[in-house]
Short mmCIF file of all heavy atoms in Angstrom, two decimals:
data_model
loop_
_atom_site.label_atom_id
_atom_site.label_comp_id
_atom_site.label_asym_id
_atom_site.label_seq_id
_atom_site.Cartn_x
_atom_site.Cartn_y
_atom_site.Cartn_z
N GLU A 1 100.73 106.76 95.81
CA GLU A 1 101.23 105.67 94.87
C GLU A 1 99.95 105.16 94.12
O GLU A 1 98.88 105.70 94.27
CB GLU A 1 101.94 104.56 95.61
CG GLU A 1 101.33 104.10 96.86
CD GLU A 1 100.07 103.40 96.70
OE1 GLU A 1 100.06 102.35 95.99
OE2 GLU A 1 99.02 103.78 97.25
N LEU A 2 100.10 104.10 93.33
CA LEU A 2 99.03 103.66 92.45
C LEU A 2 97.77 103.27 93.15
O LEU A 2 96.67 103.71 92.77
CB LEU A 2 99.53 102.46 91.61
CG LEU A 2 98.54 101.87 90.68
CD1 LEU A 2 97.99 102.92 89.71
CD2 LEU A 2 99.16 100.71 89.92
N THR A 3 97.88 102.60 94.29
CA THR A 3 96.64 102.17 94.99
C THR A 3 95.84 103.39 95.56
O THR A 3 94.65 103.42 95.43
CB THR A 3 97.02 101.25 96.13
OG1 THR A 3 97.70 100.10 95.59
CG2 THR A 3 95.73 100.74 96.84
N LEU A 4 96.58 104.36 96.09
CA LEU A 4 95.87 105.53 96.63
C LEU A 4 95.25 106.33 95.54
O LEU A 4 94.12 106.80 95.69
CB LEU A 4 96.88 106.38 97.43
CG LEU A 4 96.26 107.60 98.14
CD1 LEU A 4 95.16 107.23 99.06
CD2 LEU A 4 97.34 108.43 98.86
N GLU A 5 95.95 106.50 94.45
CA GLU A 5 95.39 107.24 93.29
C GLU A 5 94.16 106.49 92.77
O GLU A 5 93.16 107.13 92.40
CB GLU A 5 96.42 107.37 92.20
CG GLU A 5 97.58 108.26 92.52
CD GLU A 5 97.20 109.77 92.49
OE1 GLU A 5 96.09 110.11 92.18
OE2 GLU A 5 98.12 110.60 92.87
N THR A 6 94.20 105.17 92.75
CA THR A 6 93.03 104.39 92.30
C THR A 6 91.84 104.55 93.23
O THR A 6 90.72 104.69 92.77
CB THR A 6 93.47 102.92 92.18
OG1 THR A 6 94.58 102.74 91.33
CG2 THR A 6 92.29 102.10 91.67
N ARG A 7 92.12 104.49 94.50
CA ARG A 7 91.06 104.67 95.49
C ARG A 7 90.37 106.04 95.34
O ARG A 7 89.15 106.19 95.44
CB ARG A 7 91.58 104.45 96.89
CG ARG A 7 91.85 103.02 97.23
CD ARG A 7 92.60 102.86 98.58
NE ARG A 7 91.99 103.59 99.66
CZ ARG A 7 92.56 103.80 100.81
NH1 ARG A 7 93.74 103.32 101.04
NH2 ARG A 7 91.93 104.47 101.75
N GLN A 8 91.19 107.07 95.19
CA GLN A 8 90.61 108.42 95.03
C GLN A 8 89.80 108.57 93.77
O GLN A 8 88.76 109.17 93.78
CB GLN A 8 91.81 109.43 95.06
CG GLN A 8 92.47 109.52 96.40
CD GLN A 8 93.69 110.48 96.37
OE1 GLN A 8 94.20 110.78 95.32
NE2 GLN A 8 94.17 110.89 97.53
N ALA A 9 90.28 107.98 92.66
CA ALA A 9 89.62 108.07 91.43
C ALA A 9 88.21 107.30 91.53
O ALA A 9 87.21 107.79 91.08
CB ALA A 9 90.42 107.50 90.31
N ALA A 10 88.26 106.14 92.15
CA ALA A 10 87.08 105.30 92.27
C ALA A 10 86.08 105.95 93.17
O ALA A 10 84.87 105.94 92.95
CB ALA A 10 87.46 103.90 92.74
N ALA A 11 86.58 106.55 94.26
CA ALA A 11 85.65 107.25 95.21
C ALA A 11 84.98 108.48 94.56
O ALA A 11 83.84 108.73 94.89
CB ALA A 11 86.35 107.59 96.47
N SER A 12 85.77 109.18 93.70
CA SER A 12 85.14 110.35 93.07
C SER A 12 84.16 110.03 91.99
O SER A 12 83.21 110.82 91.72
CB SER A 12 86.30 111.20 92.48
OG SER A 12 87.20 111.58 93.48
N THR A 13 84.30 108.92 91.33
CA THR A 13 83.50 108.61 90.18
C THR A 13 82.50 107.47 90.44
O THR A 13 81.62 107.20 89.62
CB THR A 13 84.34 108.23 88.94
OG1 THR A 13 85.14 107.05 89.28
CG2 THR A 13 85.27 109.36 88.57
N ARG A 14 82.73 106.74 91.55
CA ARG A 14 81.93 105.55 91.90
C ARG A 14 82.14 104.38 90.86
O ARG A 14 81.37 103.48 90.89
CB ARG A 14 80.42 105.85 92.00
CG ARG A 14 80.08 106.95 92.98
CD ARG A 14 80.44 106.52 94.41
NE ARG A 14 80.17 107.56 95.37
CZ ARG A 14 80.46 107.44 96.68
NH1 ARG A 14 81.04 106.36 97.10
NH2 ARG A 14 80.17 108.46 97.51
N ALA A 15 83.17 104.51 90.06
CA ALA A 15 83.43 103.43 89.10
C ALA A 15 84.55 102.56 89.64
O ALA A 15 85.63 102.49 89.17
CB ALA A 15 83.89 104.05 87.76
N TYR A 16 84.20 101.86 90.71
CA TYR A 16 85.21 101.10 91.45
C TYR A 16 85.79 99.93 90.57
O TYR A 16 87.01 99.69 90.53
CB TYR A 16 84.59 100.44 92.69
CG TYR A 16 84.25 101.49 93.76
CD1 TYR A 16 82.98 102.04 93.88
CD2 TYR A 16 85.22 101.98 94.63
CE1 TYR A 16 82.68 103.01 94.80
CE2 TYR A 16 84.99 102.93 95.60
CZ TYR A 16 83.66 103.45 95.66
OH TYR A 16 83.37 104.38 96.61
N PHE A 17 84.87 99.23 89.86
CA PHE A 17 85.31 98.08 89.03
C PHE A 17 86.29 98.55 87.99
O PHE A 17 87.37 97.96 87.75
CB PHE A 17 84.10 97.39 88.42
CG PHE A 17 84.51 96.23 87.53
CD1 PHE A 17 84.84 95.02 88.08
CD2 PHE A 17 84.51 96.44 86.14
CE1 PHE A 17 85.16 93.97 87.25
CE2 PHE A 17 84.82 95.34 85.35
CZ PHE A 17 85.19 94.13 85.88
N THR A 18 85.98 99.69 87.28
CA THR A 18 86.83 100.16 86.24
C THR A 18 88.23 100.52 86.69
O THR A 18 89.22 100.10 86.11
CB THR A 18 86.16 101.42 85.56
OG1 THR A 18 84.94 101.05 85.02
CG2 THR A 18 87.10 102.01 84.49
N PHE A 19 88.30 101.22 87.77
CA PHE A 19 89.64 101.71 88.21
C PHE A 19 90.46 100.63 88.88
O PHE A 19 91.72 100.56 88.70
CB PHE A 19 89.49 102.92 89.13
CG PHE A 19 89.09 104.15 88.45
CD1 PHE A 19 87.83 104.73 88.48
CD2 PHE A 19 90.02 104.83 87.56
CE1 PHE A 19 87.47 105.87 87.78
CE2 PHE A 19 89.71 105.97 86.88
CZ PHE A 19 88.41 106.43 87.03
N PHE A 20 89.81 99.78 89.67
CA PHE A 20 90.65 98.71 90.29
C PHE A 20 91.05 97.64 89.27
O PHE A 20 92.09 97.05 89.41
CB PHE A 20 89.88 98.09 91.44
CG PHE A 20 89.91 98.94 92.70
CD1 PHE A 20 88.82 99.69 93.11
CD2 PHE A 20 91.08 99.02 93.44
CE1 PHE A 20 88.89 100.48 94.22
CE2 PHE A 20 91.20 99.77 94.58
CZ PHE A 20 90.05 100.53 95.02
N LEU A 21 90.19 97.45 88.24
CA LEU A 21 90.62 96.58 87.15
C LEU A 21 91.79 97.19 86.38
O LEU A 21 92.72 96.45 86.05
CB LEU A 21 89.45 96.31 86.24
CG LEU A 21 89.69 95.32 85.10
CD1 LEU A 21 90.00 93.95 85.66
CD2 LEU A 21 88.47 95.26 84.17
N ALA A 22 91.77 98.49 86.14
CA ALA A 22 92.87 99.13 85.48
C ALA A 22 94.14 99.06 86.34
O ALA A 22 95.23 98.84 85.80
CB ALA A 22 92.49 100.59 85.27
N ALA A 23 94.04 99.29 87.68
CA ALA A 23 95.24 99.20 88.50
C ALA A 23 95.78 97.74 88.49
O ALA A 23 97.02 97.56 88.48
CB ALA A 23 94.82 99.58 89.95
N GLY A 24 94.88 96.74 88.56
CA GLY A 24 95.40 95.40 88.51
C GLY A 24 96.10 95.11 87.17
O GLY A 24 97.10 94.40 87.14
N ALA A 25 95.63 95.65 86.08
CA ALA A 25 96.24 95.46 84.75
C ALA A 25 97.67 96.10 84.77
O ALA A 25 98.58 95.56 84.15
CB ALA A 25 95.40 96.06 83.65
N LEU A 26 97.77 97.28 85.39
CA LEU A 26 99.06 97.91 85.40
C LEU A 26 100.04 97.12 86.22
O LEU A 26 101.23 96.98 85.88
CB LEU A 26 98.92 99.34 86.07
CG LEU A 26 98.20 100.35 85.12
CD1 LEU A 26 98.02 101.69 85.92
CD2 LEU A 26 98.97 100.63 83.88
N TYR A 27 99.62 96.62 87.38
CA TYR A 27 100.49 95.75 88.20
C TYR A 27 100.92 94.48 87.36
O TYR A 27 102.05 94.00 87.46
CB TYR A 27 99.76 95.35 89.48
CG TYR A 27 99.87 96.36 90.61
CD1 TYR A 27 98.73 96.95 91.09
CD2 TYR A 27 101.09 96.79 91.05
CE1 TYR A 27 98.77 97.90 92.12
CE2 TYR A 27 101.13 97.76 92.10
CZ TYR A 27 99.97 98.28 92.60
OH TYR A 27 100.05 99.23 93.61
N LEU A 28 99.95 93.92 86.62
CA LEU A 28 100.26 92.76 85.83
C LEU A 28 101.31 93.06 84.72
O LEU A 28 102.23 92.22 84.52
CB LEU A 28 98.98 92.20 85.20
CG LEU A 28 99.13 90.96 84.30
CD1 LEU A 28 99.70 89.79 85.07
CD2 LEU A 28 97.81 90.60 83.69
N ILE A 29 101.18 94.22 84.15
CA ILE A 29 102.11 94.60 83.10
C ILE A 29 103.55 94.71 83.72
O ILE A 29 104.49 94.31 83.13
CB ILE A 29 101.69 95.95 82.43
CG1 ILE A 29 100.44 95.70 81.58
CG2 ILE A 29 102.84 96.49 81.59
CD1 ILE A 29 99.83 97.03 81.08
N VAL A 30 103.57 95.36 84.89
CA VAL A 30 104.89 95.47 85.60
C VAL A 30 105.48 94.06 85.93
O VAL A 30 106.67 93.85 85.72
CB VAL A 30 104.71 96.26 86.86
CG1 VAL A 30 106.00 96.24 87.70
CG2 VAL A 30 104.39 97.75 86.53
N THR A 31 104.63 93.15 86.32
CA THR A 31 105.06 91.85 86.64
C THR A 31 105.63 91.08 85.41
O THR A 31 106.70 90.44 85.47
CB THR A 31 103.96 91.02 87.27
OG1 THR A 31 103.52 91.63 88.48
CG2 THR A 31 104.36 89.58 87.62
N LEU A 32 104.88 91.19 84.31
CA LEU A 32 105.29 90.51 83.09
C LEU A 32 106.65 91.10 82.56
O LEU A 32 107.50 90.32 82.16
CB LEU A 32 104.21 90.67 82.04
CG LEU A 32 102.90 89.93 82.32
CD1 LEU A 32 101.87 90.20 81.21
CD2 LEU A 32 103.12 88.38 82.45
N CYS A 33 106.73 92.42 82.57
CA CYS A 33 108.00 93.04 82.10
C CYS A 33 109.16 92.65 83.04
O CYS A 33 110.28 92.41 82.59
CB CYS A 33 107.82 94.59 82.07
SG CYS A 33 106.64 95.12 80.79
N SER A 34 108.86 92.62 84.34
CA SER A 34 109.95 92.26 85.29
C SER A 34 110.35 90.80 85.05
O SER A 34 111.59 90.47 85.20
CB SER A 34 109.42 92.41 86.72
OG SER A 34 109.03 93.74 86.98
N GLY A 35 109.43 89.94 84.72
CA GLY A 35 109.76 88.55 84.49
C GLY A 35 110.74 88.40 83.30
O GLY A 35 111.66 87.63 83.32
N VAL A 36 110.47 89.18 82.26
CA VAL A 36 111.35 89.15 81.07
C VAL A 36 112.78 89.64 81.43
O VAL A 36 113.77 89.06 81.06
CB VAL A 36 110.78 90.03 79.94
CG1 VAL A 36 111.75 90.13 78.81
CG2 VAL A 36 109.47 89.43 79.43
N VAL A 37 112.84 90.76 82.20
CA VAL A 37 114.13 91.35 82.56
C VAL A 37 114.90 90.31 83.43
O VAL A 37 116.13 90.10 83.20
CB VAL A 37 113.90 92.68 83.29
CG1 VAL A 37 115.28 93.18 83.93
CG2 VAL A 37 113.34 93.70 82.36
N PHE A 38 114.27 89.77 84.45
CA PHE A 38 115.02 88.90 85.35
C PHE A 38 115.36 87.58 84.66
O PHE A 38 116.36 86.97 85.00
CB PHE A 38 114.19 88.64 86.62
CG PHE A 38 114.38 89.72 87.65
CD1 PHE A 38 113.46 90.68 87.84
CD2 PHE A 38 115.53 89.68 88.48
CE1 PHE A 38 113.63 91.68 88.78
CE2 PHE A 38 115.65 90.67 89.47
CZ PHE A 38 114.73 91.67 89.62
N ALA A 39 114.58 87.15 83.69
CA ALA A 39 114.93 85.97 82.93
C ALA A 39 116.23 86.18 82.16
O ALA A 39 117.10 85.29 82.07
CB ALA A 39 113.77 85.58 81.98
N ARG A 40 116.35 87.37 81.61
CA ARG A 40 117.62 87.69 80.89
C ARG A 40 118.76 87.80 81.83
O ARG A 40 119.91 87.43 81.54
CB ARG A 40 117.41 88.99 80.13
CG ARG A 40 116.39 88.84 78.98
CD ARG A 40 116.51 90.03 78.02
NE ARG A 40 115.60 89.85 76.85
CZ ARG A 40 115.64 90.61 75.77
NH1 ARG A 40 116.47 91.65 75.71
NH2 ARG A 40 114.81 90.37 74.78
N ILE A 41 118.50 88.42 83.00
CA ILE A 41 119.57 88.49 84.02
C ILE A 41 120.09 87.11 84.43
O ILE A 41 121.27 86.87 84.61
CB ILE A 41 119.11 89.37 85.25
CG1 ILE A 41 118.90 90.81 84.82
CG2 ILE A 41 120.12 89.24 86.38
CD1 ILE A 41 118.32 91.68 85.92
N GLU A 42 119.11 86.25 84.68
CA GLU A 42 119.46 84.88 85.08
C GLU A 42 120.23 84.16 83.98
O GLU A 42 121.18 83.42 84.27
CB GLU A 42 118.21 84.10 85.46
CG GLU A 42 118.51 82.73 86.08
CD GLU A 42 117.28 82.01 86.56
OE1 GLU A 42 116.17 82.60 86.47
OE2 GLU A 42 117.39 80.89 87.10
N LYS A 43 119.79 84.33 82.76
CA LYS A 43 120.50 83.70 81.63
C LYS A 43 121.95 84.25 81.56
O LYS A 43 122.93 83.47 81.34
CB LYS A 43 119.76 84.04 80.33
CG LYS A 43 120.43 83.33 79.09
CD LYS A 43 119.57 83.65 77.86
CE LYS A 43 120.24 83.03 76.62
NZ LYS A 43 119.48 83.35 75.35
N TRP A 44 122.12 85.57 81.76
CA TRP A 44 123.47 86.17 81.79
C TRP A 44 124.28 85.57 82.96
O TRP A 44 125.47 85.28 82.82
CB TRP A 44 123.35 87.68 81.90
CG TRP A 44 124.64 88.34 82.18
CD1 TRP A 44 125.64 88.63 81.29
CD2 TRP A 44 125.16 88.77 83.43
NE1 TRP A 44 126.76 89.25 81.89
CE2 TRP A 44 126.45 89.34 83.25
CE3 TRP A 44 124.64 88.71 84.72
CZ2 TRP A 44 127.20 89.81 84.25
CZ3 TRP A 44 125.42 89.21 85.76
CH2 TRP A 44 126.66 89.80 85.52
N ALA A 45 123.67 85.43 84.12
CA ALA A 45 124.38 84.94 85.30
C ALA A 45 124.77 83.49 85.17
O ALA A 45 125.81 83.09 85.73
CB ALA A 45 123.52 85.12 86.52
N ARG A 46 124.05 82.73 84.35
CA ARG A 46 124.34 81.32 84.16
C ARG A 46 125.26 81.06 82.96
O ARG A 46 125.49 79.83 82.62
CB ARG A 46 123.05 80.55 84.04
CG ARG A 46 122.28 80.44 85.34
CD ARG A 46 121.08 79.49 85.20
NE ARG A 46 120.30 79.40 86.43
CZ ARG A 46 120.65 78.60 87.44
NH1 ARG A 46 121.71 77.81 87.37
NH2 ARG A 46 119.93 78.55 88.55
N ARG A 47 125.77 82.13 82.31
CA ARG A 47 126.60 81.88 81.14
C ARG A 47 127.82 81.07 81.57
O ARG A 47 128.43 81.31 82.56
CB ARG A 47 126.99 83.19 80.53
CG ARG A 47 127.98 84.01 81.42
CD ARG A 47 128.03 85.48 80.93
NE ARG A 47 129.08 86.19 81.60
CZ ARG A 47 128.99 86.65 82.84
NH1 ARG A 47 127.86 86.42 83.57
NH2 ARG A 47 129.99 87.34 83.39
N GLY A 48 128.17 80.09 80.72
CA GLY A 48 129.28 79.24 81.04
C GLY A 48 129.06 78.09 81.94
O GLY A 48 129.87 77.21 82.06
#
């Protein structure tokens, strides 16, 4: 999964900061997109 791939990339290149920052950014993007989706679901569930 993402964390293992990040660890392998960082260990191979020694660019730990670059890859773990990139992984954190990907998790953040997933969180932000999920927030938008669930906000719409909640709005739909509260209709009426």
Side-chain angles (χ1 to χ4, degrees):
E1 45 69 58
L2 178 56
T3 302
L4 182 59
E5 293 285 356
T6 303
R7 286 169 51 190
Q8 291 175 343
S12 298
T13 61
R14 302 297 180 184
Y16 292 96
F17 179 78
T18 298
F19 285 108
F20 281 105
L21 184 62
L26 290 175
Y27 280 119
L28 179 60
I29 291 172
V30 171
T31 299
L32 294 176
C33 294
S34 300
V36 173
V37 172
F38 276 99
R40 294 195 174 189
I41 293 175
E42 185 173 3
K43 183 179 179 181
W44 170 81
R46 290 187 179 276
R47 68 195 189 283

